[in-house]
């Protein structure tokens, strides 16, 4: 038996045990449990069943599922029964504010044409059945969209959804224009930019491509559904490989609850006070500056000097741009009044 099938069998056995003990009105004896559940009935011996049952009980208790034990007969205290009290494992009623309900309805609409549409619709149905009033008209005035300025986005998104190979022009870091033949696997917004991960047919390996570097039209090159995305594919892994090599260690102070991208790469985090934490992470020139600047007043670059200078220069450039825009608006309004 493969590890995957063994795990699935165990999960099914535990779920069946939970259902049997939770639905029982009275404690159930061990023998009755063995006779009722196929996985236990197939045990090769009494000892094998006892070992399996004891392991399963311990595992459920570790999960926080309390199994109560009760003596079935006062004259024979060695015969006990088992039961799960439904009140101990039932979540309290869930209630939503009107704006939260509207957000749920809007989320379901956002996935209306995606593969998750069935799950989204089922989720709304369950909320309705539980007594939550869903007024989808509240969200009717808002149309959920994924905003992107990359011209290639729609074509790439369609190819990812259809599992259809594509070919496109791609501008490399050094400016060279190349033609790529790719089996698209996933689209990912990473550090504020859209990337495609997939299998580069010509290079025979997994690659990641930034959509802003696509040149010209994206063309289909093969049948839809002609390949499968590896089950262990994680887009972030391919994207991490695109990062430049670290140039030492950066020290950055971030407000609590902010800077999740920086924190994800942290090698060490020190809590400074109730508002700030200081993190150490690999310094990658250009990338680290961008992540710090994106946090605005919620992050402060401490070291190295190159990081501090880069962040300061970027923030000054933003300030100058805003000052110029404000001055232009003031001038335009003055001319209009004149």
């Amino acid at each position: 038996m493969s590890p995957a099938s063994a795990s699935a069998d165990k999960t099914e056995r535990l779920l069946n045990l939970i259902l049997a003990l939770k639905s029982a009105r009275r404690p159930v004896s061990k023998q009755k449990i063995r006779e009722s559940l196929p996985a236990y009935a197939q045990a090769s011996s009494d000892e094998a069943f006892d070992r399996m049952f004891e392991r399963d009980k311990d595992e459920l208790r570790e999960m926080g599922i309390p199994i109560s034990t009760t003596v079935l007969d006062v004259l024979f205290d060695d015969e006990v029964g088992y039961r799960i009290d439904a009140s101990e494992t039932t979540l309290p009623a869930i209630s939503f504010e009107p704006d939260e309900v509207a957000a749920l309805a809007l989320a379901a609409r956002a996935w209306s044409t995606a593969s998750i549409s069935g799950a989204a619709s089922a989720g709304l149905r369950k909320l309705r059945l539980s007594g939550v009033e869903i007024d989808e008209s509240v969200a009717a005035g808002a149309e959920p969209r994924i905003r992107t300025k990359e011209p290639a986005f729609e074509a790439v998104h369609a190819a990812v959804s259809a599992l259809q190979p594509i070919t496109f022009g791609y501008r490399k870091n050094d400016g060279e224009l190349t033609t790529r033949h790719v089996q698209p696997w996933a689209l990912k917004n990473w550090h504020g930019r859209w990337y495609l991960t997939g299998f580069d047919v010509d290079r025979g390996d997994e690659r990641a491509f930034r959509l802003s570097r696509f040149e010209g039209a994206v063309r289909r090159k093969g049948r839809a559904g002609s390949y499968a995305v590896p089950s262990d594919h994680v887009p972030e892994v391919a994207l991490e490989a695109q990062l430049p090599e670290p140039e030492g260690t950066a020290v950055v102070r971030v407000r609590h609850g902010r800077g999740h991208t920086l924190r994800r790469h942290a090698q060490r985090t020190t809590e400074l006070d109730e508002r700030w934490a200081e993190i150490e992470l690999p310094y990658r020139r250009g990338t680290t500056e961008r992540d710090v600047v994106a946090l605005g007043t919620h992050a402060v670059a401490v070291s190295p000097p190159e990081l501090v200078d880069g962040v300061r220069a970027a923030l000054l450039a933003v300030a100058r741009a805003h000052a110029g825009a404000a001055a232009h608006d003031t001038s335009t309004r003055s001319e209009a009044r004149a």
Side-chain angles (χ1 to χ4, degrees):
M1 181 181 294
S2 69
S5 60
S7 177
D9 290 344
K10 178 182 177 182
T11 301
E12 182 179 1
R13 187 175 73 241
L14 291 175
L15 286 174
N16 286 337
L17 179 58
I18 292 171
L19 291 173
L21 297 183
K22 189 174 179 180
S23 60
R25 295 187 177 183
R26 296 182 179 85
V28 184
S29 68
K30 184 188 293 187
Q31 184 59 34
K32 186 66 174 177
I33 292 172
R34 183 178 183 183
E35 294 171 355
S36 303
L37 301 184
Y40 293 136
Q42 296 169 6
S44 57
S45 65
D46 292 342
E47 292 76 12
F49 162 67
D50 285 338
R51 289 195 299 269
M52 186 187 306
F53 182 60
E54 292 302 320
R55 283 198 304 267
D56 289 349
K57 282 196 304 175
D58 291 342
E59 190 153 344
L60 291 181
R61 283 168 175 155
E62 288 176 5
M63 293 178 187
I65 300 175
I67 300 177
S68 61
T69 304
T70 306
V71 175
L72 294 176
D73 191 330
V74 294
L75 300 178
F76 301 94
D77 59 5
D78 60 339
E79 186 167 359
V80 298
Y82 303 91
R83 187 167 178 266
I84 295 175
D85 188 347
S87 64
E88 296 288 335
T89 56
T90 302
L91 290 173
I94 299 174
S95 61
F96 296 95
E97 296 297 324
D99 57 339
E100 294 173 326
V101 174
L104 289 169
L106 188 59
R109 291 184 62 209
W111 292 110
S112 61
T113 59
S115 60
I116 200 172
S117 59
S121 299
L124 287 184
R125 280 199 303 273
K126 289 178 180 178
L127 289 175
R128 289 191 185 95
L129 291 173
S130 66
V132 176
E133 185 177 350
I134 305 292
D135 184 3
E136 296 188 42
S137 65
V138 174
E143 184 65 28
R145 295 181 182 274
I146 298 176
R147 297 190 178 277
T148 174
K149 61 183 179 181
E150 287 83 356
F153 182 89
E154 293 297 336
V156 173
H157 180 268
V160 170
S161 301
L163 296 177
Q164 188 163 29
I166 56 175
T167 181
F168 52 88
Y170 190 72
R171 186 77 61 180
K172 294 166 55 177
N173 289 339
D174 59 8
E176 179 187 359
L177 182 62
T178 61
T179 300
R180 301 299 182 96
H181 299 85
V182 175
Q183 294 176 353
W185 288 353
L187 262 176
K188 180 73 177 178
N189 189 286
W190 193 64
H191 292 288
R193 294 183 173 89
W194 283 99
Y195 290 83
L196 166 70
T197 61
F199 183 76
D200 190 316
V201 177
D202 297 324
R203 290 155 182 78
D205 199 4
E206 179 181 355
R207 289 288 190 273
F209 307 92
R210 201 165 91 189
L211 261 62
S212 60
R213 291 181 179 164
F214 279 49
E215 296 274 344
V218 176
R219 299 182 300 278
R220 300 176 182 180
K221 195 74 172 180
R223 294 183 298 104
S226 58
Y227 61 89
V229 179
S231 59
D232 59 351
H233 173 60
V234 180
E236 288 81 359
V237 173
L239 292 167
E240 291 284 353
Q242 306 292 307
L243 291 173
E245 287 298 314
E247 301 178 28
T249 300
V251 178
V252 180
R253 292 178 182 174
V254 294
R255 292 184 189 271
H256 293 316
R258 302 283 183 165
H260 302 296
T261 299
L262 292 170
R263 291 175 186 272
R264 190 167 60 245
H265 300 288
Q267 298 167 329
R268 188 173 70 176
T269 301
T270 303
E271 302 297 331
L272 299 179
D273 53 35
E274 68 278 4
R275 296 178 62 195
W276 293 90
E278 190 170 86
I279 62 175
E280 296 181 11
L281 69 159
Y283 172 52
R284 292 182 170 89
R285 190 183 300 272
T287 300
T288 307
E289 283 88 347
R290 183 187 66 215
D291 292 340
V292 174
V293 169
L295 291 169
T297 59
H298 300 297
V300 178
V302 178
S303 67
E306 305 96 278
L307 171 63
V308 176
D309 293 342
V311 170
R312 181 184 294 114
L315 291 175
L316 287 173
V318 171
R320 285 194 296 269
H322 278 284
H328 175 73
D329 289 343
T330 301
S331 175
T332 302
R333 286 196 295 269
S334 299
E335 290 176 0
R337 285 195 298 269

